[in-house]
Amino acid sequence: MSKLTMSKAINEGLRSCLETDPKTLVMGEDVGKLGGVFRVTDGLQKDFGEDRVIDTPLAESGIVGTAIGLALRGYRPIVEIQFDGFVYPAFDQIVTQLAKMHARALGHVKMPVTIRIPYAGGIGAVEHHSESHEAYFAHTAGLRVVTPSNPDDAYWMLRQSVESDDPVIFLEPKARYWDKAEISAAPALDLHSAKVVRPGTDLTLLAYGPMVKVCLEVAAAAEEDGRRIEVVDLRSLSPVDFATLEESVKRTGRAVVVHEAPVFMGMGAELAARLTERCFYHLEAPVLRVGGYHAPYPPSRVEEQYLPDLDRVLDAVDRALAF
């Protein structure tokens, strides 16, 4: 394929899934005639019909509940939650039914449901449109939680998610929807592998989703001062590829975890704790964290002060290297 934006890569991934399996459905608010708020599903209803690309009522609990019923009948529904902050009405269905059904049935029932959620900030949106709630889902056993950081991963990880017999929360960093990249002919990794996207020797930056690009910018800036920073894209938040993370941190001796979600009880806390346990004798400094503040997501006019940026991450790098 030629270079695609992330939104177009996801569109092509959905199209491929619909073409491959007649039991695959796309459903959500405004996904059909409108093509989605971000036009990610543009053209799909026209090509596959209203029975395969379904405009639903504004009722997230009903959307996910219906998807669970469809999965029980052999379908592979792909659900779109219009914005991150709109998922909470469906939270009951996700954590008490979708995540539990396989275990409740002693493994006899499969739940091949993919829930796409545009998440995180950076687009100047209003309240409930810029939240990062990945820790809620990663904390829930029975869910797979993944997030791409670039168009190539978005295309292939979506296809791998839909092919999974387990429920997948597919988090799409909306600020990266317009980033462009070429799409490879085949996936380079399985769905739950982390990836070293920039090698280094002095410190490891661990990031996912929207923050991978920021960390790559940090590594480029640090190189001007003679510091070689390794950047690892987690890609999967549950399960986490701790083997790749551990290998990197043992090699560099220092680590900083970066995410948009609040630092308090966030993904970074689990990553820092696990890496401290596994890499204790290799660490030259504490594992540091950079993230959002323990406060509701702010209005768009001040979101730049809330989101981790190059300066805040570089400050953490300096503090880690000072030990």
Side-chain angles (χ1 to χ4, degrees), residues 10 53 80 113 128 131 139 143 165 178 192 198 200 242 247 251 270 279 290 293 311:
I10 296 170
V53 182
E80 177 180 301
V113 178
H128 302 311
E131 299 179 18
H139 184 71
L143 298 176
D165 286 331
W178 301 277
H192 297 296
R198 181 178 176 125
F242 280 109
E247 180 183 353
R251 184 169 58 251
E270 176 65 22
C279 307
V290 181
Y293 301 106
D311 289 335

Side-chain angles (χ1 to χ4, degrees), residues 202-269:
D202 299 331
L203 178 144
T204 298
L205 284 175
L206 303 169
Y208 54 85
M211 285 292 107
V212 173
K213 184 176 182 179
V214 173
C215 288
L216 288 171
E217 293 169 353
V218 168
E223 189 173 35
E224 296 178 4
D225 296 327
R227 296 175 292 181
R228 297 191 62 207
I229 306 299
E230 182 150 300
V231 180
V232 179
D233 182 354
L234 269 69
R235 300 174 75 251
S236 176
L237 308 183
S238 181
V240 174
D241 179 10
F242 280 109
T244 298
L245 275 56
E246 182 180 345
E247 180 183 353
S248 175
V249 173
K250 283 183 176 179
R251 184 169 58 251
T252 66
R254 291 175 170 84
V256 176
V257 187
V258 185
H259 53 61
E260 278 194 25
V263 168
F264 184 72
M265 296 290 181
M267 284 292 302

Side-chain angles (χ1 to χ4, degrees), residues 7 62 70 194:
S7 62
L70 286 166

Side-chain angles (χ1 to χ4, degrees), residues 2 5 47 52 64 79 160 213 231 246 253 288 297 314-315:
S2 59
T5 63
D47 294 339
R52 304 268 322 270
V64 175
V79 170
Q160 291 167 328
K213 184 176 182 179
V231 180
E246 182 180 345
L288 302 182
Y297 197 91
L314 272 177
D315 176 69

